Structures are given as C-alpha cells and as structure tokens.
Amino acid sequence: MYWKKGTKKGNIEKRTAGENAREKEVNRRMKQTLHLQSPKNWINDPNGFLYYRGQYHLFYQYFPYDLRWGMMHWGHAVSQDLVNWKHLPIALFPTVKEDRDGCFSGSAVEKEGQMHLFYTGVHYRQVNPRNIHECIPGEMEASQLKLVSTDGMTFDNFGGKQVVIPKIVDEMFGDCGDTRDPKVWRGQDGWYLILGSTLQRKKGMLLVYRSEDLEHFTLLNRVCDDRFGWLWECPDYFETEGGGVFLFSPIGLQMEDGKEEQQAVCMPALFSEQTGELELAQDIQFVDYGLDLYAPQTNIDEAGRRTMIAWMRMPEPVLGEWIGMFCYPRVVRRRGEHIYFSLHPNVKERFCKPIFTPEEAEGREYVVHTELENGGQLDIGGYHIMRKGMQIYTDRRGLFPEGRGHLLCHTPDLREGCSLSVYVSDHLIEVFINDGEYVISNIVYDMGNRMEVQGGRGTVLYTIE
C-alpha cells in the first residue's frame, strides 16, 4: 500500500495497491469508449447534469459495493467536452435521518458561483431483515434536500445538508414515499422546482414549487393525469426554440400488451410561471424506441444547446465487474409537435477516420452511415436493422438474454426518408434515424465484427482517432 496526501492539510488518505490498480483500469477503460460507464459495480439515473466553471459535471445513482441496486450514493464524473470523462470520488452519501437509506435522484443549478445540489433523501421505517437495502412496502419516507458546494468538487455531507421540502403527510395531497426527483431551473422571475409523485397510486402527478432564494419553496400547483401511468419519475421541463417540452419516466404505462410499464417519454407542453399550470399534449413519444433508455436529464451546454443524457439499463454485468452506462449526449429540439434527439456535435465530430470494415476499428467505436431502401437491412455483428415501409425495425435476439427486455423494436412511421447513422460500441448500439427524428438504442452482448448491407445507398464507415 501507499499513502496519498488529501486535499486538506494534515489529511492523509490510505490506499491499497489494489485500489490504485483498479483506478488505473477504470481510466484505461474510459479512454477506450466515448460512453460514460460505471467505474465499478452498479449505476443508474444521471443526476445533477450541469455545465459549471468550464466543465460538465454529471452525478449519478451509484451503489459502490455490489453489482445490484442498493443504498444510493451520488457518483461524480466531469468532462471538458462531453466526450472524455473522468470519475471523481463519491459526492453524496447517506449521513442524516432524512437520507439514511439513500440519496435518490435530483438535479443541480448554479447560483452566484456556487453549485446547488437538490436530491430526494429516503428513510425506511421498516426494512427487510434479510436485506436492509429493501424497504417493507408502504414504509418509506421521502424528503427533498439540498447541499451547496462552493467549487463543485467538495461536498459537506455531514454538515451541509438542508431539508427544503419535508416528507408529505397527507395522502390526499401526495405520497409520503413516492414523491421524488427534484428538477430545478431558473425562470423569468424566480426559481422553479418540480417533483414526480402519485395521487393514491392511481394518477401520475407533478408537484410544482416556486422560490425566490433557493432556500424557501412554496407550492404553486399540482398537475394530475391518469393517462400516463400512476407515478411520474424524473420529471424535466424546459423550453426550446420550437416550444416547451416535458420529459418524464412514468411507472405503470400500459402500451403494446402491457410490455412498456416503465419507460422514458416526452411530449410538447406549455408551462405557466404565474400559475404553475402545465398544459400537456394528447399523445406521448418515447424518448428512445429501443426501450432500454430511462431517467433522462437535460441541461444547457456551453453553446446554449438543450442537451440530454440518460441511463441505459443492462440486465447483466460486464466481466463480473460493472453494470450500467449512459447513452451518448443528445441535443433536444422541438419542431411543431415532434421532438428530435440528435447526437451531440461534440461526439459526432470524433468519428472522423474512414474505414472499410468493422475490423479496421480495432475494437474502437465506429459509425455506419447509410440510406436504407424499403426492404433493405443491415447486419452489424449479429444486430439486425431493417426497413419495412416507413418504419425501422431492430432485432437483437442473438445478442441479448432471452426474456430480459425488448428483443424486437421499431419506430413509428418516418416523415423524412430513411437516413441512418448507427453508432456501435461493445455493449451499446445507437441508431439515429433522420438526424434524431427517432432513435433506437439497444444494449448488446458478445457482438461480432462482420457487417452485411442489403439495400443501402452511400454506405460509409468511420471510427474515432
């Protein structure tokens, strides 16, 4: 083992040779992919996505002790460009009664040069005696907490936490345990915070708060709707040049014979800062039609673009070491009543080295650009992409565990032809159709290197330098 001096004078951190080797392995693995992946063990939702002091910060739900969901911490990664990421030490971990059993999802904003983190803290009144990470149904309390960091790098978990919205006690108002995931943004004349919740487990609900100072929050409105599941997780509202957009991840959404019970969806919306009313469209659109993507979160990038990142759900760990990764960052645009998710240009420009076959990528990520004719198809390492009329279908049955997810996926009817950009990495394929008109992203395992194209025009391949 060796000794490493900490950031504070007199603070010495003891590290083993194994921990040092593991950090080097994580950094080596991160250099081989443009996707942000778990450093080790389990991750899920992205949290606190923020451009702050010249770099991007992304926090995430993290259980650092095993390859399964457990007591949530906030992991932390930073990037200068949304492409090259570096994992940092854990930012948030349970320390107070309100977050004793986990620091659940939330968001981050900057105010007067400081980073303000908002998250849901959970407290289990009763736990499974055989697994303290599992709560007895109906015995969870959720509160909304805040922690302020002066530099985005240090976090006072023992002295800096503040409850800003206490647990709900009136079941006719909201749910004590199923109210969570604060998303905060600066409006025209104040700060706004929204929470996903449920009304008696029958209707999805949004609680809308307003604040002048990020310290005191007043309830402005409740938005209820029984069309989109019984609980709305990870809500996110924002404005684009084409109008407002509401992103959320409803539980209990019933589509296509009940398969889609928990998915990320979006829709055009109109928010009133004066009343807190949220006017929703009649129809939803999946954020991603691969149906592996969940809990998207957006913020503004350095150039002012609305940028989204999301968790890609994995059914099995990789090499028995890590499970969970994030999609490539995407730019969100609204055109009329349709919402586009285009690959972020910082990622797109990295694929600049022409190749002729996947083998020439030598294990690096690569992209296949093609214009697929009706009846045409691609076979990329056993992952099949087909055009049938004006829809795109994907088939990963040979690359994914049976019964663990959607093996066959497809888009609605396309509006603008059929231009495909298929980004391929070891465990994730992202199919962008017509520059983000629709996207299909699928987790895969044990991909091959072969590629066959039938009915494709202008097919070219590029890899990263």
mmCIF file of all heavy atoms in Angstrom, residues 322-354:
data_model
loop_
_atom_site.group_PDB
_atom_site.id
_atom_site.type_symbol
_atom_site.label_atom_id
_atom_site.label_comp_id
_atom_site.label_asym_id
_atom_site.label_seq_id
_atom_site.Cartn_x
_atom_site.Cartn_y
_atom_site.Cartn_z
ATOM 1 N N TRP A 322 -18.877 -4.517 -13.648
ATOM 2 C CA TRP A 322 -19.655 -3.287 -13.689
ATOM 3 C C TRP A 322 -20.955 -3.513 -14.442
ATOM 4 O O TRP A 322 -21.054 -4.382 -15.298
ATOM 5 C CB TRP A 322 -18.862 -2.140 -14.323
ATOM 6 C CG TRP A 322 -18.484 -2.350 -15.768
ATOM 7 C CD1 TRP A 322 -17.394 -3.018 -16.240
ATOM 8 C CD2 TRP A 322 -19.202 -1.904 -16.935
ATOM 9 N NE1 TRP A 322 -17.373 -3.005 -17.614
ATOM 10 C CE2 TRP A 322 -18.468 -2.323 -18.064
ATOM 11 C CE3 TRP A 322 -20.376 -1.176 -17.114
ATOM 12 C CZ2 TRP A 322 -18.896 -2.044 -19.364
ATOM 13 C CZ3 TRP A 322 -20.801 -0.899 -18.413
ATOM 14 C CH2 TRP A 322 -20.051 -1.321 -19.513
ATOM 15 N N ILE A 323 -21.948 -2.675 -14.104
ATOM 16 C CA ILE A 323 -23.242 -2.761 -14.760
ATOM 17 C C ILE A 323 -23.864 -1.367 -14.795
ATOM 18 O O ILE A 323 -23.977 -0.701 -13.768
ATOM 19 C CB ILE A 323 -24.168 -3.782 -14.068
ATOM 20 C CG1 ILE A 323 -25.508 -3.892 -14.797
ATOM 21 C CG2 ILE A 323 -24.356 -3.473 -12.602
ATOM 22 C CD1 ILE A 323 -26.343 -5.091 -14.353
ATOM 23 N N GLY A 324 -24.228 -0.930 -15.983
ATOM 24 C CA GLY A 324 -24.841 0.372 -16.161
ATOM 25 C C GLY A 324 -23.954 1.336 -16.916
ATOM 26 O O GLY A 324 -22.750 1.432 -16.667
ATOM 27 N N MET A 325 -24.561 2.041 -17.889
ATOM 28 C CA MET A 325 -23.837 3.036 -18.663
ATOM 29 C C MET A 325 -24.829 4.079 -19.147
ATOM 30 O O MET A 325 -26.040 3.934 -18.956
ATOM 31 C CB MET A 325 -23.108 2.381 -19.843
ATOM 32 C CG MET A 325 -24.015 1.655 -20.813
ATOM 33 S SD MET A 325 -23.110 0.635 -22.028
ATOM 34 C CE MET A 325 -22.081 1.850 -22.836
ATOM 35 N N PHE A 326 -24.288 5.132 -19.774
ATOM 36 C CA PHE A 326 -25.136 6.216 -20.260
ATOM 37 C C PHE A 326 -25.043 6.314 -21.773
ATOM 38 O O PHE A 326 -24.018 5.979 -22.375
ATOM 39 C CB PHE A 326 -24.733 7.545 -19.621
ATOM 40 C CG PHE A 326 -24.859 7.548 -18.128
ATOM 41 C CD1 PHE A 326 -23.735 7.534 -17.315
ATOM 42 C CD2 PHE A 326 -26.099 7.529 -17.520
ATOM 43 C CE1 PHE A 326 -23.844 7.516 -15.943
ATOM 44 C CE2 PHE A 326 -26.222 7.508 -16.145
ATOM 45 C CZ PHE A 326 -25.094 7.505 -15.349
ATOM 46 N N CYS A 327 -26.127 6.780 -22.373
ATOM 47 C CA CYS A 327 -26.134 6.986 -23.813
ATOM 48 C C CYS A 327 -25.219 8.151 -24.165
ATOM 49 O O CYS A 327 -24.790 8.919 -23.305
ATOM 50 C CB CYS A 327 -27.553 7.263 -24.303
ATOM 51 S SG CYS A 327 -28.238 8.850 -23.735
ATOM 52 N N TYR A 328 -24.911 8.286 -25.449
ATOM 53 C CA TYR A 328 -24.231 9.487 -25.905
ATOM 54 C C TYR A 328 -25.102 10.718 -25.611
ATOM 55 O O TYR A 328 -26.333 10.647 -25.700
ATOM 56 C CB TYR A 328 -24.009 9.435 -27.415
ATOM 57 C CG TYR A 328 -22.910 8.527 -27.891
ATOM 58 C CD1 TYR A 328 -23.058 7.823 -29.085
ATOM 59 C CD2 TYR A 328 -21.708 8.394 -27.205
ATOM 60 C CE1 TYR A 328 -22.053 7.005 -29.575
ATOM 61 C CE2 TYR A 328 -20.698 7.575 -27.681
ATOM 62 C CZ TYR A 328 -20.873 6.879 -28.866
ATOM 63 O OH TYR A 328 -19.881 6.066 -29.336
ATOM 64 N N PRO A 329 -24.497 11.850 -25.286
ATOM 65 C CA PRO A 329 -25.282 13.076 -25.121
ATOM 66 C C PRO A 329 -26.023 13.431 -26.417
ATOM 67 O O PRO A 329 -25.493 13.244 -27.522
ATOM 68 C CB PRO A 329 -24.223 14.131 -24.784
ATOM 69 C CG PRO A 329 -23.068 13.350 -24.240
ATOM 70 C CD PRO A 329 -23.071 12.053 -24.980
ATOM 71 N N ARG A 330 -27.241 13.934 -26.260
ATOM 72 C CA ARG A 330 -28.092 14.251 -27.406
ATOM 73 C C ARG A 330 -28.653 15.659 -27.275
ATOM 74 O O ARG A 330 -28.972 16.100 -26.175
ATOM 75 C CB ARG A 330 -29.243 13.238 -27.507
ATOM 76 C CG ARG A 330 -28.731 11.806 -27.606
ATOM 77 C CD ARG A 330 -29.830 10.768 -27.520
ATOM 78 N NE ARG A 330 -29.251 9.428 -27.503
ATOM 79 C CZ ARG A 330 -29.964 8.302 -27.459
ATOM 80 N NH1 ARG A 330 -31.292 8.365 -27.415
ATOM 81 N NH2 ARG A 330 -29.354 7.125 -27.448
ATOM 82 N N VAL A 331 -28.771 16.343 -28.398
ATOM 83 C CA VAL A 331 -29.363 17.676 -28.441
ATOM 84 C C VAL A 331 -30.860 17.528 -28.690
ATOM 85 O O VAL A 331 -31.271 16.827 -29.622
ATOM 86 C CB VAL A 331 -28.712 18.537 -29.534
ATOM 87 C CG1 VAL A 331 -29.405 19.893 -29.631
ATOM 88 C CG2 VAL A 331 -27.222 18.724 -29.249
ATOM 89 N N VAL A 332 -31.662 18.186 -27.860
ATOM 90 C CA VAL A 332 -33.115 18.075 -27.943
ATOM 91 C C VAL A 332 -33.666 19.297 -28.666
ATOM 92 O O VAL A 332 -33.354 20.443 -28.315
ATOM 93 C CB VAL A 332 -33.747 17.977 -26.546
ATOM 94 C CG1 VAL A 332 -35.241 17.673 -26.653
ATOM 95 C CG2 VAL A 332 -33.038 16.911 -25.703
ATOM 96 N N ARG A 333 -34.500 19.044 -29.676
ATOM 97 C CA ARG A 333 -35.161 20.117 -30.424
ATOM 98 C C ARG A 333 -36.635 19.757 -30.582
ATOM 99 O O ARG A 333 -36.977 18.592 -30.710
ATOM 100 C CB ARG A 333 -34.544 20.281 -31.816
ATOM 101 C CG ARG A 333 -33.069 20.685 -31.820
ATOM 102 C CD ARG A 333 -32.513 20.556 -33.228
ATOM 103 N NE ARG A 333 -32.469 19.150 -33.637
ATOM 104 C CZ ARG A 333 -32.558 18.749 -34.899
ATOM 105 N NH1 ARG A 333 -32.724 19.618 -35.873
ATOM 106 N NH2 ARG A 333 -32.495 17.460 -35.192
ATOM 107 N N ARG A 334 -37.452 20.787 -30.608
ATOM 108 C CA ARG A 334 -38.876 20.571 -30.909
ATOM 109 C C ARG A 334 -39.208 21.257 -32.233
ATOM 110 O O ARG A 334 -38.909 22.435 -32.430
ATOM 111 C CB ARG A 334 -39.750 21.135 -29.788
ATOM 112 C CG ARG A 334 -41.243 21.023 -30.089
ATOM 113 C CD ARG A 334 -42.105 21.549 -28.955
ATOM 114 N NE ARG A 334 -43.460 21.838 -29.424
ATOM 115 C CZ ARG A 334 -44.409 22.402 -28.690
ATOM 116 N NH1 ARG A 334 -44.161 22.744 -27.430
ATOM 117 N NH2 ARG A 334 -45.608 22.649 -29.208
ATOM 118 N N ARG A 335 -39.819 20.500 -33.130
ATOM 119 C CA ARG A 335 -40.305 21.032 -34.393
ATOM 120 C C ARG A 335 -41.794 20.740 -34.475
ATOM 121 O O ARG A 335 -42.191 19.582 -34.642
ATOM 122 C CB ARG A 335 -39.590 20.384 -35.585
ATOM 123 C CG ARG A 335 -38.111 20.712 -35.700
ATOM 124 C CD ARG A 335 -37.517 20.034 -36.911
ATOM 125 N NE ARG A 335 -36.095 20.316 -37.063
ATOM 126 C CZ ARG A 335 -35.315 19.737 -37.990
ATOM 127 N NH1 ARG A 335 -35.848 18.855 -38.830
ATOM 128 N NH2 ARG A 335 -34.042 20.042 -38.065
ATOM 129 N N GLY A 336 -42.586 21.762 -34.311
ATOM 130 C CA GLY A 336 -44.023 21.543 -34.279
ATOM 131 C C GLY A 336 -44.397 20.700 -33.075
ATOM 132 O O GLY A 336 -44.069 21.026 -31.941
ATOM 133 N N GLU A 337 -45.053 19.576 -33.334
ATOM 134 C CA GLU A 337 -45.458 18.685 -32.247
ATOM 135 C C GLU A 337 -44.524 17.493 -32.101
ATOM 136 O O GLU A 337 -44.813 16.582 -31.330
ATOM 137 C CB GLU A 337 -46.887 18.184 -32.511
ATOM 138 C CG GLU A 337 -47.933 19.284 -32.529
ATOM 139 C CD GLU A 337 -47.959 20.060 -31.224
ATOM 140 O OE1 GLU A 337 -48.290 19.457 -30.188
ATOM 141 O OE2 GLU A 337 -47.637 21.276 -31.243
ATOM 142 N N HIS A 338 -43.398 17.504 -32.840
ATOM 143 C CA HIS A 338 -42.469 16.378 -32.760
ATOM 144 C C HIS A 338 -41.172 16.809 -32.087
ATOM 145 O O HIS A 338 -40.709 17.942 -32.263
ATOM 146 C CB HIS A 338 -42.157 15.836 -34.158
ATOM 147 C CG HIS A 338 -41.429 14.531 -34.133
ATOM 148 N ND1 HIS A 338 -42.049 13.334 -33.829
ATOM 149 C CD2 HIS A 338 -40.117 14.232 -34.340
ATOM 150 C CE1 HIS A 338 -41.159 12.356 -33.871
ATOM 151 N NE2 HIS A 338 -39.980 12.880 -34.168
ATOM 152 N N ILE A 339 -40.584 15.904 -31.309
ATOM 153 C CA ILE A 339 -39.360 16.188 -30.563
ATOM 154 C C ILE A 339 -38.232 15.334 -31.116
ATOM 155 O O ILE A 339 -38.362 14.109 -31.253
ATOM 156 C CB ILE A 339 -39.572 15.929 -29.060
ATOM 157 C CG1 ILE A 339 -40.704 16.827 -28.541
ATOM 158 C CG2 ILE A 339 -38.290 16.192 -28.276
ATOM 159 C CD1 ILE A 339 -41.293 16.402 -27.232
ATOM 160 N N TYR A 340 -37.120 15.981 -31.449
ATOM 161 C CA TYR A 340 -35.956 15.330 -32.041
ATOM 162 C C TYR A 340 -34.857 15.179 -30.989
ATOM 163 O O TYR A 340 -34.659 16.053 -30.135
ATOM 164 C CB TYR A 340 -35.407 16.161 -33.202
ATOM 165 C CG TYR A 340 -36.238 16.122 -34.454
ATOM 166 C CD1 TYR A 340 -37.480 16.740 -34.512
ATOM 167 C CD2 TYR A 340 -35.788 15.463 -35.596
ATOM 168 C CE1 TYR A 340 -38.254 16.709 -35.657
ATOM 169 C CE2 TYR A 340 -36.544 15.426 -36.754
ATOM 170 C CZ TYR A 340 -37.771 16.059 -36.782
ATOM 171 O OH TYR A 340 -38.529 16.019 -37.923
ATOM 172 N N PHE A 341 -34.117 14.074 -31.098
ATOM 173 C CA PHE A 341 -32.976 13.810 -30.228
ATOM 174 C C PHE A 341 -31.770 13.486 -31.121
ATOM 175 O O PHE A 341 -31.576 12.347 -31.541
ATOM 176 C CB PHE A 341 -33.278 12.650 -29.276
ATOM 177 C CG PHE A 341 -34.401 12.936 -28.322
ATOM 178 C CD1 PHE A 341 -35.713 12.615 -28.659
ATOM 179 C CD2 PHE A 341 -34.159 13.545 -27.104
ATOM 180 C CE1 PHE A 341 -36.762 12.885 -27.784
ATOM 181 C CE2 PHE A 341 -35.198 13.821 -26.220
ATOM 182 C CZ PHE A 341 -36.506 13.490 -26.561
ATOM 183 N N SER A 342 -30.981 14.507 -31.419
ATOM 184 C CA SER A 342 -29.843 14.357 -32.331
ATOM 185 C C SER A 342 -28.553 14.151 -31.553
ATOM 186 O O SER A 342 -28.385 14.695 -30.449
ATOM 187 C CB SER A 342 -29.707 15.611 -33.204
ATOM 188 O OG SER A 342 -30.899 15.870 -33.909
ATOM 189 N N LEU A 343 -27.648 13.392 -32.126
ATOM 190 C CA LEU A 343 -26.353 13.179 -31.480
ATOM 191 C C LEU A 343 -25.648 14.517 -31.285
ATOM 192 O O LEU A 343 -25.619 15.363 -32.182
ATOM 193 C CB LEU A 343 -25.484 12.263 -32.336
ATOM 194 C CG LEU A 343 -24.121 11.890 -31.743
ATOM 195 C CD1 LEU A 343 -24.271 11.083 -30.467
ATOM 196 C CD2 LEU A 343 -23.286 11.124 -32.757
ATOM 197 N N HIS A 344 -25.082 14.707 -30.100
ATOM 198 C CA HIS A 344 -24.389 15.964 -29.809
ATOM 199 C C HIS A 344 -23.203 16.130 -30.761
ATOM 200 O O HIS A 344 -22.455 15.177 -31.001
ATOM 201 C CB HIS A 344 -23.910 15.985 -28.359
ATOM 202 C CG HIS A 344 -23.533 17.336 -27.883
ATOM 203 N ND1 HIS A 344 -22.344 17.951 -28.225
ATOM 204 C CD2 HIS A 344 -24.204 18.244 -27.100
ATOM 205 C CE1 HIS A 344 -22.284 19.139 -27.661
ATOM 206 N NE2 HIS A 344 -23.398 19.345 -26.976
ATOM 207 N N PRO A 345 -23.005 17.336 -31.311
ATOM 208 C CA PRO A 345 -21.914 17.527 -32.284
ATOM 209 C C PRO A 345 -20.528 17.230 -31.723
ATOM 210 O O PRO A 345 -19.620 16.851 -32.481
ATOM 211 C CB PRO A 345 -22.056 18.999 -32.698
ATOM 212 C CG PRO A 345 -22.923 19.629 -31.653
ATOM 213 C CD PRO A 345 -23.819 18.549 -31.150
ATOM 214 N N ASN A 346 -20.312 17.403 -30.423
ATOM 215 C CA ASN A 346 -19.002 17.078 -29.854
ATOM 216 C C ASN A 346 -18.667 15.604 -30.020
ATOM 217 O O ASN A 346 -17.494 15.231 -30.191
ATOM 218 C CB ASN A 346 -18.962 17.432 -28.371
ATOM 219 C CG ASN A 346 -18.931 18.919 -28.123
ATOM 220 O OD1 ASN A 346 -19.207 19.710 -29.017
ATOM 221 N ND2 ASN A 346 -18.612 19.308 -26.900
ATOM 222 N N VAL A 347 -19.690 14.747 -29.941
ATOM 223 C CA VAL A 347 -19.474 13.315 -30.145
ATOM 224 C C VAL A 347 -19.368 13.014 -31.640
ATOM 225 O O VAL A 347 -18.480 12.284 -32.088
ATOM 226 C CB VAL A 347 -20.613 12.495 -29.522
ATOM 227 C CG1 VAL A 347 -20.397 10.999 -29.766
ATOM 228 C CG2 VAL A 347 -20.722 12.773 -28.031
ATOM 229 N N LYS A 348 -20.268 13.591 -32.402
ATOM 230 C CA LYS A 348 -20.321 13.313 -33.839
ATOM 231 C C LYS A 348 -18.989 13.604 -34.518
ATOM 232 O O LYS A 348 -18.523 12.835 -35.372
ATOM 233 C CB LYS A 348 -21.436 14.148 -34.476
ATOM 234 C CG LYS A 348 -21.727 13.823 -35.916
ATOM 235 C CD LYS A 348 -22.808 14.726 -36.481
ATOM 236 C CE LYS A 348 -24.120 14.586 -35.752
ATOM 237 N NZ LYS A 348 -25.204 15.396 -36.376
ATOM 238 N N GLU A 349 -18.351 14.703 -34.157
ATOM 239 C CA GLU A 349 -17.120 15.100 -34.842
ATOM 240 C C GLU A 349 -15.930 14.197 -34.519
ATOM 241 O O GLU A 349 -14.921 14.222 -35.225
ATOM 242 C CB GLU A 349 -16.778 16.543 -34.506
ATOM 243 C CG GLU A 349 -16.383 16.785 -33.067
ATOM 244 C CD GLU A 349 -16.168 18.249 -32.739
ATOM 245 O OE1 GLU A 349 -16.610 19.102 -33.539
ATOM 246 O OE2 GLU A 349 -15.562 18.546 -31.697
ATOM 247 N N ARG A 350 -16.052 13.393 -33.464
ATOM 248 C CA ARG A 350 -14.946 12.483 -33.141
ATOM 249 C C ARG A 350 -14.845 11.310 -34.108
ATOM 250 O O ARG A 350 -13.794 10.670 -34.203
ATOM 251 C CB ARG A 350 -15.121 11.960 -31.711
ATOM 252 C CG ARG A 350 -14.918 13.009 -30.637
ATOM 253 C CD ARG A 350 -13.486 13.547 -30.650
ATOM 254 N NE ARG A 350 -12.530 12.484 -30.480
ATOM 255 C CZ ARG A 350 -12.122 12.008 -29.296
ATOM 256 N NH1 ARG A 350 -12.615 12.520 -28.191
ATOM 257 N NH2 ARG A 350 -11.235 11.036 -29.235
ATOM 258 N N PHE A 351 -15.916 11.007 -34.816
ATOM 259 C CA PHE A 351 -15.911 9.888 -35.770
ATOM 260 C C PHE A 351 -15.482 10.419 -37.131
ATOM 261 O O PHE A 351 -16.297 10.749 -37.984
ATOM 262 C CB PHE A 351 -17.294 9.240 -35.834
ATOM 263 C CG PHE A 351 -17.666 8.503 -34.586
ATOM 264 C CD1 PHE A 351 -18.212 9.175 -33.502
ATOM 265 C CD2 PHE A 351 -17.449 7.128 -34.483
ATOM 266 C CE1 PHE A 351 -18.549 8.494 -32.343
ATOM 267 C CE2 PHE A 351 -17.786 6.443 -33.324
ATOM 268 C CZ PHE A 351 -18.334 7.130 -32.251
ATOM 269 N N CYS A 352 -14.171 10.523 -37.303
ATOM 270 C CA CYS A 352 -13.629 11.206 -38.478
ATOM 271 C C CYS A 352 -12.626 10.373 -39.266
ATOM 272 O O CYS A 352 -12.132 10.823 -40.300
ATOM 273 C CB CYS A 352 -12.993 12.524 -38.062
ATOM 274 S SG CYS A 352 -11.698 12.347 -36.811
ATOM 275 N N LYS A 353 -12.315 9.161 -38.821
ATOM 276 C CA LYS A 353 -11.326 8.339 -39.513
ATOM 277 C C LYS A 353 -12.041 7.321 -40.391
ATOM 278 O O LYS A 353 -12.717 6.418 -39.883
ATOM 279 C CB LYS A 353 -10.445 7.611 -38.501
ATOM 280 C CG LYS A 353 -9.366 6.748 -39.157
ATOM 281 C CD LYS A 353 -8.498 6.063 -38.107
ATOM 282 C CE LYS A 353 -7.436 5.193 -38.770
ATOM 283 N NZ LYS A 353 -6.585 4.513 -37.762
ATOM 284 N N PRO A 354 -11.936 7.429 -41.719
ATOM 285 C CA PRO A 354 -12.638 6.490 -42.603
ATOM 286 C C PRO A 354 -12.091 5.064 -42.472
ATOM 287 O O PRO A 354 -10.876 4.857 -42.350
ATOM 288 C CB PRO A 354 -12.368 7.047 -44.004
ATOM 289 C CG PRO A 354 -11.900 8.448 -43.799
ATOM 290 C CD PRO A 354 -11.213 8.463 -42.475
#
